[in-house]
Amino acid sequence: MAGPLRVLLVEDNDVFRESLEFLLRRREDVEVVGAIPDGSSAAARCAELGADVAVIDFRLPDLDGTAAAAEVLERCPGAAVVFLTASASAEEREAAMISGVPLVRKDEGVEALVGAMRVAAGRGGS
């Protein structure tokens, strides 16, 4: 059996990022390897930290979530990406579908996020 899912969190809201990091660190099946506030360094940090999954806020102030995801997938080819969103607007759903990246609303909870991360990383459901 594979070890814990190695996760990089990319979220600009400090309170949400730190809360999510706290909740994920309590799980035995997840290892948060990094938590950063910007999309521009996501790809480099993913590769440096050996993340299995990068969880990327769809709306980042410095870089569009789809651009950050594309960079992660290019520079960290062993990693998967999951988008986080507060709104799940039609634009966000369409962009996620086109890019093949799962989209999880922030109000869906940690279990939904972990399930999406596991599926994206090829480790089955939650």
Side-chain angles (χ1 to χ4, degrees), residues 42-64:
R45 295 293 291 160
C46 179
E48 176 185 320
L49 298 168
D52 298 314
V53 178
V55 175
I56 301 175
D57 184 3
F58 192 86
R59 300 223 181 256
L60 294 166
D62 68 327
L63 189 64
D64 176 84

Side-chain angles (χ1 to χ4, degrees), residues 1-100:
M1 180 171 155
L5 197 58
R6 296 173 53 81
V7 177
L8 171 65
L9 300 175
V10 184
E11 166 63 54
D12 63 305
N13 181 296
D14 294 340
V15 172
F16 189 83
R17 183 182 65 252
E18 291 169 10
S19 298
L20 184 55
E21 182 177 7
F22 172 80
L23 292 171
L24 290 174
R25 286 189 186 277
R26 297 176 55 92
R27 298 181 60 99
E28 292 183 11
D29 58 339
V30 174
E31 178 184 356
V32 178
V33 295
I36 59 175
D38 61 279
S40 59
S41 62
R45 295 293 291 160
C46 179
E48 176 185 320
L49 298 168
D52 298 314
V53 178
V55 175
I56 301 175
D57 184 3
F58 192 86
R59 300 223 181 256
L60 294 166
D62 68 327
L63 189 64
D64 176 84
T66 55
E71 286 184 16
V72 165
L73 293 171
E74 181 180 325
R75 293 185 55 194
C76 193
V81 172
V82 173
F83 285 135
L84 267 179
T85 180
S87 65
S89 69
E91 171 196 347
E92 292 171 343
R93 290 191 312 270
E94 182 179 356
M97 185 173 53
I98 289 169
S99 62

